Amino acid sequence: MAAPKVLVTRPISQLALDKIAASCDMDLWADELPPPREALLQRIRGCDGILSLLTDRIDAEVMDASLCLRVIANYAVGYDNIDLAAADERRIQVGNTPGVLTETTADLAFALLLAAARRIAEADRYTRSGEWRTWGPRLLLGQDVHHATLGLVGFGRIGREMAKRARGFDMTVQYFDTTRNEEAEMQLGARRVDLDMLLATSDFVSVHVPLNEATRHLIGEREIGLMKSTAILINTSRGPVVDQQALYRALQDGAIAGAGLDVFEREPIPADDPLLALDNVVVTPHIGSASVATRTKMALMAAENLIEGVNCRPIPYKVNPEIDSDFRCCGLDCGE
Ligand code: DGY
């Protein structure tokens, strides 16, 4: 029997690639940039599985380019790049990489929080610039993190890890989430409030929700308008959860004090975007999960999803459990 054919849309950990290549006929898109749409549509033809990245839009057209596609293994915990309804219709299993990047992403969110509060990026630029003439009582004054109030928008895995970190800084932690988690509230000393209350009373607001139709622009002009003028917004989830235009205006007008952003409405953010000209914004290029160990674990999980899926077995980290035992499987004519 021929080995299942799979497309991997970018070089990932060699360990995972070796695992895939050992049992599959692997086509690796070896470029550092994502495959352009036409290339993706062409290369997926005849594939039983795809290991995709968040930069690949996997919609009905892509799915229909291979009639035997059985599994989409996304190398990310977020899967807003995949049309889940289209996958469901076609009985294709879709997998992600939950859990392994939780702490790494919370570390980055907290780093951005500290950096924005204490103006680290601005201070770094200043120190290198040659402008530094003396120790100054008014030089680069920032906000205290210790004993401040942290508002978490979303109290899932990453939000709760933020709460843990905040405890070490003696912060007061409040959260907004559609569901209440009393056990975590007790463990982490967090209290649930409504979104408006959270925005109006937090010194730091950190966003940890997935992107979907309910969360797109969840933090819009009205919501930003509720924040304290001294407050700082952190976003490490998905750019479109925050209305970036509204955020820009608030930062420019001093309606809020700063922001730490790892994600943007358009990625990469264009170098001439006015947001990047603001000193009160700290930015990173969507690197929340970017540690060597975490990226290796993500690659291995995605590989496991891929291999199980192409072999017509239920995948271990599935985001569409509604596709239970009757998923699309062997014996299909790939149309090749
Ligand atoms: C994810 O996994 O969704 C992150 O955005 C990238 O690791």
Side-chain angles (χ1 to χ4, degrees):
M1 209 174 84
K5 207 174 155 213
V6 299
L7 174 63
V8 178
T9 64
R10 218 87 72 77
I12 54 171
S13 152
Q14 193 58 46
L15 266 180
L17 291 177
D18 290 347
K19 246 185 152 170
I20 297 167
S23 63
C24 302
D25 172 6
M26 180 176 75
D27 177 15
L28 172 65
W29 179 262
D31 209 290
E32 285 307 323
L33 291 177
R37 183 79 180 166
E38 275 317 304
L40 180 63
L41 287 169
Q42 200 254 317
R43 300 275 281 260
I44 199 169
R45 288 181 60 198
C47 281
D48 302 294
I50 179 170
L51 191 151
S52 54
L53 271 58
L54 56 86
T55 41
D56 305 313
R57 182 161 52 85
I58 310 294
D59 54 14
E61 190 186 12
V62 173
M63 294 175 204
D64 288 342
S66 177
L67 296 180
C68 52
L69 192 70
R70 299 166 191 165
V71 62
I72 301 164
N74 215 37
Y75 174 87
V77 68
Y79 46 89
D80 47 282
N81 58 310
I82 298 170
D83 183 339
L84 212 55
D88 277 0
E89 249 173 61
R90 290 157 182 76
R91 319 299 297 164
I92 297 172
Q93 299 191 84
V94 179
N96 70 340
T97 61
V100 289
L101 49 81
T102 306
E103 288 154 288
T104 304
T105 305
D107 285 351
L108 194 270
F110 214 85
L112 284 173
L113 186 155
L114 287 168
R118 298 301 305 272
R119 303 171 63 181
I120 302 290
E122 207 183 336
D124 177 273
R125 290 193 291 272
Y126 177 83
T127 311
R128 293 167 196 268
S129 73
E131 286 172 72
W132 184 23
R133 312 235 328 254
T134 182
W135 184 91
R138 293 186 303 178
L139 182 62
L140 286 162
L141 304 184
Q143 319 268 358
D144 276 329
V145 173
H146 66 86
H147 296 98
T149 296
L150 172 64
L152 298 166
V153 179
F155 202 49
R157 282 182 292 251
I158 301 174
R160 295 197 298 273
E161 278 301 320
M162 276 297 274
K164 258 196 217 169
R165 282 150 184 73
R167 280 174 65 118
F169 283 74
D170 293 320
M171 297 178 91
T172 298
V173 180
Q174 48 189 10
Y175 75 94
F176 163 72
D177 201 300
T178 46
T179 49
R180 184 162 183 201
N181 187 335
E182 284 181 65
E183 197 187 323
E185 281 179 24
M186 298 241 291
Q187 273 170 6
L188 301 168
R191 134 186 121 102
R192 183 173 180 231
V193 293
D194 69 35
L195 182 59
D196 286 5
M197 168 69 91
L198 178 139
L199 292 164
T201 57
S202 296
D203 300 303
F204 299 91
V205 173
S206 192
V207 181
H208 302 283
V209 292
L211 174 63
N212 53 44
E213 279 327 301
T215 61
R216 190 174 295 276
H217 283 195
L218 178 67
I219 308 297
E221 182 153 21
R222 189 192 76 83
E223 288 72 24
I224 295 170
L226 295 173
M227 291 172 67
K228 295 183 183 183
S229 60
T230 49
I232 288 173
L233 179 73
I234 308 299
N235 189 9
T236 53
S237 62
R238 285 290 184 270
V241 175
V242 175
D243 178 343
Q244 200 169 297
Q245 291 290 327
L247 175 63
Y248 168 73
R249 288 191 296 273
L251 289 163
Q252 197 193 30
D253 300 347
I256 66 170
L261 305 173
D262 185 47
V263 290
F264 304 88
E265 289 215 59
R266 181 174 153 204
E267 294 182 4
I269 182 170
D272 61 356
D273 190 299
L275 188 72
L276 299 182
L278 298 177
D279 263 334
N280 52 352
V281 185
V282 184
V283 289
T284 47
H286 203 150
I287 54 166
S289 63
S291 76
V292 177
T294 292
R295 286 286 165 86
T296 304
K297 287 182 201 154
M298 287 167 65
L300 289 170
M301 276 174 103
E304 207 183 330
N305 275 336
L306 183 73
I307 293 167
E308 292 305 291
V310 292
N311 283 298
C312 299
R313 292 191 287 263
I315 62 173
Y317 315 106
K318 184 152 56 177
V319 299
N320 54 348
E322 59 277 12
I323 306 301
D324 189 4
S325 53
D326 57 341
F327 42 79
R328 182 190 273 183
C329 199
C330 312
L332 287 164
D333 175 5
C334 289
E336 284 301 289

mmCIF file of all heavy atoms in Angstrom, residues 278-312:
data_model
loop_
_atom_site.group_PDB
_atom_site.id
_atom_site.type_symbol
_atom_site.label_atom_id
_atom_site.label_comp_id
_atom_site.label_asym_id
_atom_site.label_seq_id
_atom_site.Cartn_x
_atom_site.Cartn_y
_atom_site.Cartn_z
ATOM 1 N N LEU A 278 4.648 55.281 17.382
ATOM 2 C CA LEU A 278 4.337 55.719 18.744
ATOM 3 C C LEU A 278 5.345 55.135 19.738
ATOM 4 O O LEU A 278 5.631 53.940 19.708
ATOM 5 C CB LEU A 278 2.922 55.269 19.140
ATOM 6 C CG LEU A 278 1.764 55.820 18.304
ATOM 7 C CD1 LEU A 278 0.436 55.226 18.787
ATOM 8 C CD2 LEU A 278 1.719 57.343 18.388
ATOM 9 N N ASP A 279 5.824 55.985 20.638
ATOM 10 C CA ASP A 279 6.782 55.510 21.641
ATOM 11 C C ASP A 279 6.137 54.685 22.744
ATOM 12 O O ASP A 279 6.820 53.918 23.420
ATOM 13 C CB ASP A 279 7.485 56.721 22.278
ATOM 14 C CG ASP A 279 8.829 56.971 21.598
ATOM 15 O OD1 ASP A 279 9.398 56.001 21.056
ATOM 16 O OD2 ASP A 279 9.276 58.133 21.616
ATOM 17 N N ASN A 280 4.822 54.882 22.937
ATOM 18 C CA ASN A 280 4.166 54.173 24.048
ATOM 19 C C ASN A 280 3.613 52.801 23.646
ATOM 20 O O ASN A 280 2.723 52.269 24.298
ATOM 21 C CB ASN A 280 3.067 55.041 24.688
ATOM 22 C CG ASN A 280 2.066 55.584 23.675
ATOM 23 O OD1 ASN A 280 2.258 55.449 22.473
ATOM 24 N ND2 ASN A 280 1.000 56.199 24.161
ATOM 25 N N VAL A 281 4.155 52.239 22.567
ATOM 26 C CA VAL A 281 3.761 50.893 22.153
ATOM 27 C C VAL A 281 5.009 50.006 22.073
ATOM 28 O O VAL A 281 6.001 50.399 21.467
ATOM 29 C CB VAL A 281 3.100 50.910 20.753
ATOM 30 C CG1 VAL A 281 2.582 49.528 20.384
ATOM 31 C CG2 VAL A 281 1.973 51.899 20.709
ATOM 32 N N VAL A 282 4.925 48.841 22.685
ATOM 33 C CA VAL A 282 5.996 47.846 22.558
ATOM 34 C C VAL A 282 5.467 46.748 21.654
ATOM 35 O O VAL A 282 4.359 46.243 21.880
ATOM 36 C CB VAL A 282 6.363 47.220 23.920
ATOM 37 C CG1 VAL A 282 7.537 46.268 23.775
ATOM 38 C CG2 VAL A 282 6.671 48.284 24.938
ATOM 39 N N VAL A 283 6.222 46.388 20.647
ATOM 40 C CA VAL A 283 5.716 45.403 19.686
ATOM 41 C C VAL A 283 6.676 44.223 19.509
ATOM 42 O O VAL A 283 7.892 44.382 19.615
ATOM 43 C CB VAL A 283 5.471 46.055 18.294
ATOM 44 C CG1 VAL A 283 4.280 46.980 18.330
ATOM 45 C CG2 VAL A 283 6.708 46.775 17.790
ATOM 46 N N THR A 284 6.086 43.063 19.251
ATOM 47 C CA THR A 284 6.870 41.874 18.888
ATOM 48 C C THR A 284 6.119 41.173 17.743
ATOM 49 O O THR A 284 4.902 41.344 17.595
ATOM 50 C CB THR A 284 7.030 40.908 20.095
ATOM 51 O OG1 THR A 284 5.760 40.724 20.729
ATOM 52 C CG2 THR A 284 8.026 41.438 21.113
ATOM 53 N N PRO A 285 6.837 40.397 16.924
ATOM 54 C CA PRO A 285 6.217 39.835 15.705
ATOM 55 C C PRO A 285 5.556 38.464 15.899
ATOM 56 O O PRO A 285 6.013 37.471 15.342
ATOM 57 C CB PRO A 285 7.406 39.752 14.747
ATOM 58 C CG PRO A 285 8.573 39.491 15.648
ATOM 59 C CD PRO A 285 8.297 40.180 16.944
ATOM 60 N N HIS A 286 4.458 38.426 16.652
ATOM 61 C CA HIS A 286 3.683 37.198 16.895
ATOM 62 C C HIS A 286 4.598 36.029 17.314
ATOM 63 O O HIS A 286 4.650 35.002 16.637
ATOM 64 C CB HIS A 286 2.850 36.828 15.657
ATOM 65 C CG HIS A 286 1.668 35.956 15.987
ATOM 66 N ND1 HIS A 286 0.502 35.957 15.271
ATOM 67 C CD2 HIS A 286 1.475 35.023 16.974
ATOM 68 C CE1 HIS A 286 -0.355 35.091 15.785
ATOM 69 N NE2 HIS A 286 0.224 34.509 16.823
ATOM 70 N N ILE A 287 5.279 36.242 18.440
ATOM 71 C CA ILE A 287 6.244 35.229 18.921
ATOM 72 C C ILE A 287 5.820 34.640 20.268
ATOM 73 O O ILE A 287 6.657 34.114 21.005
ATOM 74 C CB ILE A 287 7.675 35.814 19.039
ATOM 75 C CG1 ILE A 287 7.674 37.084 19.914
ATOM 76 C CG2 ILE A 287 8.263 36.095 17.665
ATOM 77 C CD1 ILE A 287 9.071 37.526 20.349
ATOM 78 N N GLY A 288 4.521 34.713 20.574
ATOM 79 C CA GLY A 288 4.056 34.227 21.874
ATOM 80 C C GLY A 288 4.556 32.831 22.238
ATOM 81 O O GLY A 288 4.975 32.580 23.361
ATOM 82 N N SER A 289 4.531 31.929 21.294
ATOM 83 C CA SER A 289 4.907 30.535 21.587
ATOM 84 C C SER A 289 6.347 30.227 21.157
ATOM 85 O O SER A 289 6.749 29.058 21.158
ATOM 86 C CB SER A 289 3.956 29.585 20.859
ATOM 87 O OG SER A 289 4.077 29.752 19.448
ATOM 88 N N ALA A 290 7.104 31.277 20.827
ATOM 89 C CA ALA A 290 8.399 31.039 20.168
ATOM 90 C C ALA A 290 9.549 30.742 21.129
ATOM 91 O O ALA A 290 10.495 31.523 21.252
ATOM 92 C CB ALA A 290 8.741 32.226 19.267
ATOM 93 N N SER A 291 9.481 29.615 21.823
ATOM 94 C CA SER A 291 10.680 29.120 22.512
ATOM 95 C C SER A 291 11.039 27.801 21.824
ATOM 96 O O SER A 291 10.160 27.130 21.264
ATOM 97 C CB SER A 291 10.417 28.903 24.007
ATOM 98 O OG SER A 291 9.663 27.733 24.218
ATOM 99 N N VAL A 292 12.306 27.444 21.888
ATOM 100 C CA VAL A 292 12.766 26.232 21.191
ATOM 101 C C VAL A 292 11.958 25.021 21.661
ATOM 102 O O VAL A 292 11.431 24.243 20.854
ATOM 103 C CB VAL A 292 14.280 26.002 21.435
ATOM 104 C CG1 VAL A 292 14.744 24.721 20.773
ATOM 105 C CG2 VAL A 292 15.087 27.201 20.945
ATOM 106 N N ALA A 293 11.833 24.895 22.985
ATOM 107 C CA ALA A 293 11.162 23.708 23.534
ATOM 108 C C ALA A 293 9.688 23.673 23.121
ATOM 109 O O ALA A 293 9.159 22.622 22.723
ATOM 110 C CB ALA A 293 11.287 23.705 25.048
ATOM 111 N N THR A 294 9.019 24.814 23.211
ATOM 112 C CA THR A 294 7.586 24.835 22.908
ATOM 113 C C THR A 294 7.320 24.586 21.434
ATOM 114 O O THR A 294 6.416 23.833 21.066
ATOM 115 C CB THR A 294 6.978 26.170 23.384
ATOM 116 O OG1 THR A 294 7.031 26.166 24.804
ATOM 117 C CG2 THR A 294 5.540 26.341 22.938
ATOM 118 N N ARG A 295 8.125 25.213 20.581
ATOM 119 C CA ARG A 295 7.892 25.006 19.151
ATOM 120 C C ARG A 295 8.153 23.540 18.765
ATOM 121 O O ARG A 295 7.510 22.997 17.871
ATOM 122 C CB ARG A 295 8.753 25.956 18.327
ATOM 123 C CG ARG A 295 8.244 27.402 18.356
ATOM 124 C CD ARG A 295 6.987 27.580 17.509
ATOM 125 N NE ARG A 295 6.290 28.819 17.771
ATOM 126 C CZ ARG A 295 6.557 29.988 17.190
ATOM 127 N NH1 ARG A 295 7.527 30.072 16.295
ATOM 128 N NH2 ARG A 295 5.854 31.056 17.492
ATOM 129 N N THR A 296 9.096 22.893 19.463
ATOM 130 C CA THR A 296 9.335 21.469 19.192
ATOM 131 C C THR A 296 8.114 20.651 19.602
ATOM 132 O O THR A 296 7.648 19.780 18.861
ATOM 133 C CB THR A 296 10.594 20.980 19.950
ATOM 134 O OG1 THR A 296 11.685 21.809 19.559
ATOM 135 C CG2 THR A 296 10.930 19.533 19.633
ATOM 136 N N LYS A 297 7.577 20.974 20.788
ATOM 137 C CA LYS A 297 6.395 20.227 21.258
ATOM 138 C C LYS A 297 5.211 20.451 20.324
ATOM 139 O O LYS A 297 4.450 19.527 20.022
ATOM 140 C CB LYS A 297 6.016 20.672 22.674
ATOM 141 C CG LYS A 297 6.971 20.180 23.739
ATOM 142 C CD LYS A 297 6.483 20.634 25.099
ATOM 143 C CE LYS A 297 7.610 20.620 26.112
ATOM 144 N NZ LYS A 297 7.400 21.552 27.209
ATOM 145 N N MET A 298 5.037 21.692 19.865
ATOM 146 C CA MET A 298 3.922 21.978 18.946
ATOM 147 C C MET A 298 4.070 21.159 17.661
ATOM 148 O O MET A 298 3.105 20.595 17.138
ATOM 149 C CB MET A 298 3.893 23.476 18.595
ATOM 150 C CG MET A 298 3.408 24.362 19.718
ATOM 151 S SD MET A 298 3.749 26.109 19.409
ATOM 152 C CE MET A 298 2.719 26.435 17.977
ATOM 153 N N ALA A 299 5.303 21.096 17.165
ATOM 154 C CA ALA A 299 5.553 20.366 15.918
ATOM 155 C C ALA A 299 5.235 18.881 16.098
ATOM 156 O O ALA A 299 4.616 18.249 15.231
ATOM 157 C CB ALA A 299 7.002 20.555 15.488
ATOM 158 N N LEU A 300 5.640 18.331 17.256
ATOM 159 C CA LEU A 300 5.398 16.904 17.497
ATOM 160 C C LEU A 300 3.905 16.610 17.654
ATOM 161 O O LEU A 300 3.406 15.590 17.171
ATOM 162 C CB LEU A 300 6.178 16.432 18.732
ATOM 163 C CG LEU A 300 7.702 16.357 18.504
ATOM 164 C CD1 LEU A 300 8.440 16.129 19.821
ATOM 165 C CD2 LEU A 300 8.069 15.263 17.492
ATOM 166 N N MET A 301 3.186 17.519 18.290
ATOM 167 C CA MET A 301 1.734 17.326 18.440
ATOM 168 C C MET A 301 1.040 17.403 17.087
ATOM 169 O O MET A 301 0.155 16.592 16.778
ATOM 170 C CB MET A 301 1.143 18.428 19.336
ATOM 171 C CG MET A 301 1.245 18.149 20.796
ATOM 172 S SD MET A 301 0.684 19.590 21.728
ATOM 173 C CE MET A 301 -0.932 19.045 22.243
ATOM 174 N N ALA A 302 1.448 18.376 16.294
ATOM 175 C CA ALA A 302 0.824 18.520 14.970
ATOM 176 C C ALA A 302 1.145 17.294 14.115
ATOM 177 O O ALA A 302 0.285 16.785 13.387
ATOM 178 C CB ALA A 302 1.303 19.802 14.300
ATOM 179 N N ALA A 303 2.384 16.792 14.234
ATOM 180 C CA ALA A 303 2.778 15.599 13.476
ATOM 181 C C ALA A 303 1.934 14.397 13.904
ATOM 182 O O ALA A 303 1.498 13.589 13.070
ATOM 183 C CB ALA A 303 4.259 15.312 13.687
ATOM 184 N N GLU A 304 1.699 14.308 15.214
ATOM 185 C CA GLU A 304 0.891 13.194 15.718
ATOM 186 C C GLU A 304 -0.535 13.271 15.153
ATOM 187 O O GLU A 304 -1.092 12.248 14.698
ATOM 188 C CB GLU A 304 0.854 13.283 17.245
ATOM 189 C CG GLU A 304 0.646 11.963 17.931
ATOM 190 C CD GLU A 304 0.555 12.133 19.446
ATOM 191 O OE1 GLU A 304 1.185 13.064 20.006
ATOM 192 O OE2 GLU A 304 -0.176 11.316 20.052
ATOM 193 N N ASN A 305 -1.109 14.460 15.181
ATOM 194 C CA ASN A 305 -2.447 14.641 14.588
ATOM 195 C C ASN A 305 -2.445 14.220 13.123
ATOM 196 O O ASN A 305 -3.349 13.527 12.656
ATOM 197 C CB ASN A 305 -2.875 16.115 14.674
ATOM 198 C CG ASN A 305 -3.523 16.459 16.012
ATOM 199 O OD1 ASN A 305 -4.065 15.594 16.704
ATOM 200 N ND2 ASN A 305 -3.463 17.726 16.382
ATOM 201 N N LEU A 306 -1.409 14.667 12.418
ATOM 202 C CA LEU A 306 -1.332 14.394 10.981
ATOM 203 C C LEU A 306 -1.246 12.886 10.722
ATOM 204 O O LEU A 306 -2.005 12.329 9.917
ATOM 205 C CB LEU A 306 -0.100 15.111 10.402
ATOM 206 C CG LEU A 306 0.109 14.992 8.906
ATOM 207 C CD1 LEU A 306 -0.917 15.836 8.164
ATOM 208 C CD2 LEU A 306 1.527 15.463 8.513
ATOM 209 N N ILE A 307 -0.339 12.237 11.426
ATOM 210 C CA ILE A 307 -0.094 10.809 11.174
ATOM 211 C C ILE A 307 -1.317 9.959 11.551
ATOM 212 O O ILE A 307 -1.734 9.070 10.813
ATOM 213 C CB ILE A 307 1.182 10.344 11.923
ATOM 214 C CG1 ILE A 307 2.410 11.043 11.311
ATOM 215 C CG2 ILE A 307 1.341 8.826 11.860
ATOM 216 C CD1 ILE A 307 3.684 10.936 12.130
ATOM 217 N N GLU A 308 -1.905 10.290 12.708
ATOM 218 C CA GLU A 308 -3.109 9.533 13.095
ATOM 219 C C GLU A 308 -4.221 9.753 12.071
ATOM 220 O O GLU A 308 -4.904 8.819 11.665
ATOM 221 C CB GLU A 308 -3.593 9.964 14.488
ATOM 222 C CG GLU A 308 -2.658 9.567 15.615
ATOM 223 C CD GLU A 308 -2.353 8.081 15.626
ATOM 224 O OE1 GLU A 308 -3.262 7.305 15.921
ATOM 225 O OE2 GLU A 308 -1.194 7.697 15.314
ATOM 226 N N GLY A 309 -4.375 10.993 11.657
ATOM 227 C CA GLY A 309 -5.457 11.339 10.729
ATOM 228 C C GLY A 309 -5.307 10.655 9.384
ATOM 229 O O GLY A 309 -6.283 10.106 8.850
ATOM 230 N N VAL A 310 -4.105 10.678 8.824
ATOM 231 C CA VAL A 310 -3.965 10.064 7.491
ATOM 232 C C VAL A 310 -4.104 8.545 7.565
ATOM 233 O O VAL A 310 -4.422 7.892 6.577
ATOM 234 C CB VAL A 310 -2.625 10.450 6.779
ATOM 235 C CG1 VAL A 310 -2.605 11.920 6.419
ATOM 236 C CG2 VAL A 310 -1.426 10.034 7.590
ATOM 237 N N ASN A 311 -3.885 8.005 8.765
ATOM 238 C CA ASN A 311 -4.060 6.562 8.928
ATOM 239 C C ASN A 311 -5.468 6.193 9.374
ATOM 240 O O ASN A 311 -5.697 5.093 9.896
ATOM 241 C CB ASN A 311 -3.012 6.021 9.909
ATOM 242 C CG ASN A 311 -1.663 5.913 9.229
ATOM 243 O OD1 ASN A 311 -1.511 5.173 8.260
ATOM 244 N ND2 ASN A 311 -0.694 6.693 9.693
ATOM 245 N N CYS A 312 -6.383 7.139 9.191
ATOM 246 C CA CYS A 312 -7.800 6.879 9.468
ATOM 247 C C CYS A 312 -8.087 6.527 10.921
ATOM 248 O O CYS A 312 -8.942 5.696 11.222
ATOM 249 C CB CYS A 312 -8.325 5.759 8.567
ATOM 250 S SG CYS A 312 -8.206 6.203 6.841
#
